[in-house]
Amino acid sequence: MLELKLEKLRNLFVEMERTLIAYSGGIDSTLVAKIAHDVLGDRALAVTAKSPSLLPEELEDAIEQAKSIGIIHQIVETHEMDNPNYASNPVNRCYFCKSELHDTLKPLALKLGYSYVVDGVNADDLQDYRPGIQAATERGARSPLAELGITKMEVREIARSIGLSCWNKPAQPCLSSRFPYGEEITIPKLNRVGRAEIYLRRLGYENVRVRSNEDTAKIELPAELIQQFVINTDLVKLTQAFQSFGFVYVTLDLEGYRSGKLNQVLPQLAS
């Protein structure tokens, strides 16, 4: 089944002929970039958007991964923070983020002669609340993984089977996803969240989120790691570090990490 989907993915790029990939460095867009390069060679271009909502370490990872794939890679700057519709953090914030991204990528593709702009949206993403998908679709972008019904788990399985070292890389959505809807997003707030997450990664916790609620940082870890974290971490030192980043209070979410947790308030906001 996976071999058939992989073959269909390759055939899709054969049909496209020249493709620009919206490449974040995450496993989904990395798989798309890898297959596009395998099929199209220099007729595939990976483009990464640099903005305050992207961790510098994630940008470096994207650069290194693109080098290992061998794909031509370009970095562009996006300016979603200049849009008050984005910075005010409404429930459809991602729509304005992806609008900025694809309003940057589409003209670039046309200028350089690439027939298509594609992204790493997978089939599971279509089942979640992702207003950014609408913005991409409106601007003519395609999502090969979603089109072929390839799920997140299948992305990882295919990536492992073809030797991508990042096949099990934890998901890293943009830093703006760490804020509850309605709280204004600013560059200093993004920076302090980013620094806090890097601090935790250096302690060995890769799959982690630091949710920001005004002056409070709420740490989310996989539930099975919470006890280990409390026992093994110098909590006083951690608190002091987070306060040096700009937080006043530091808390631990006892429910544990769950993707898309901030979306649980959407039914209440809708009512």
Side-chain angles (χ1 to χ4, degrees):
M1 184 66 173
L2 283 182
E3 291 181 0
L4 178 60
K5 288 188 175 182
L6 178 54
E7 187 61 27
K8 287 183 177 180
L9 186 58
R10 290 181 174 131
N11 289 337
L12 199 60
F13 285 113
V14 171
E15 296 170 6
M16 289 184 182
E17 296 185 346
R18 288 180 60 84
T19 305
L20 185 153
I21 301 98
Y23 169 67
S24 68
I27 181 56
D28 300 310
S29 63
T30 298
L31 177 62
V32 171
K34 165 65 174 171
I35 302 304
H37 174 66
D38 287 350
V39 173
L40 301 174
D42 290 348
R43 290 177 290 138
L45 169 67
V47 179
T48 302
K50 178 183 178 181
S51 78
S53 65
L54 177 68
L55 277 172
E57 288 78 2
E58 288 297 314
L59 178 59
E60 290 303 316
D61 283 350
I63 292 171
E64 291 305 312
Q65 191 65 49
K67 286 180 181 178
S68 70
I69 291 172
I71 193 169
I72 301 171
H73 184 212
Q74 186 170 332
I75 298 170
V76 297
E77 291 196 12
T78 55
H79 304 280
E80 57 270 21
M81 289 296 296
D82 294 341
N83 184 350
N85 289 321
Y86 176 89
S88 62
N89 198 16
V91 295
N92 62 339
R93 177 198 69 245
C94 288
Y95 177 88
F96 301 105
C97 175
K98 297 302 183 184
S99 296
E100 169 71 11
L101 173 64
H102 287 280
D103 284 343
T104 301
L105 296 186
K106 186 173 181 178
L108 179 63
L110 291 173
K111 176 183 176 181
L112 298 178
Y114 290 91
S115 308
Y116 295 92
V117 174
V118 303
D119 60 24
V121 171
N122 65 60
D124 289 336
D125 293 331
L126 302 181
Q127 309 306 315
D128 195 4
Y129 177 67
R130 302 287 181 98
I133 294 175
Q134 178 186 347
T137 301
E138 289 174 352
R139 287 155 178 81
R142 293 182 62 176
S143 304
L145 301 176
E147 288 181 25
L148 298 176
I150 299 175
T151 66
K152 186 73 171 188
M153 182 178 295
E154 290 173 330
V155 166
R156 295 193 185 280
E157 291 176 0
I158 292 172
R160 181 168 58 175
S161 72
I162 63 175
L164 280 178
S165 61
C166 63
W167 68 269
N168 63 343
K169 180 181 180 179
Q172 286 294 336
C174 78
L175 292 176
S176 295
S177 67
R178 312 305 196 262
F179 298 84
Y181 295 120
E183 179 179 337
E184 183 183 10
I185 298 171
T186 65
I187 291 177
K189 286 182 179 181
L190 291 170
N191 288 341
R192 72 183 184 186
V193 166
R195 293 176 68 190
E197 290 196 358
I198 290 299
Y199 183 95
L200 292 170
R201 286 193 196 182
R202 289 174 177 166
L203 292 181
Y205 298 96
E206 286 295 324
N207 198 9
V208 64
R209 297 286 184 274
V210 175
R211 306 290 186 187
S212 175
N213 193 335
E214 299 298 346
D215 291 329
T216 299
K218 182 169 65 174
I219 299 170
E220 288 184 14
L221 298 163
E224 65 273 14
L225 297 182
I226 291 177
Q227 185 174 8
Q228 168 193 323
F229 176 80
V230 172
I231 293 173
N232 297 336
T233 304
D234 185 334
L235 298 177
V236 172
K237 184 178 178 181
L238 180 144
T239 299
Q240 291 173 343
F242 275 43
Q243 289 174 340
S244 74
F245 303 151
F247 290 107
V248 177
Y249 309 104
V250 185
T251 64
L252 179 63
D253 187 330
L254 299 182
E255 181 188 23
Y257 166 71
R258 175 162 51 84
S259 178
K261 181 176 286 189
L262 294 182
N263 285 340
Q264 67 189 5
V265 304
L266 290 176
Q268 301 172 28
L269 294 175
S271 62

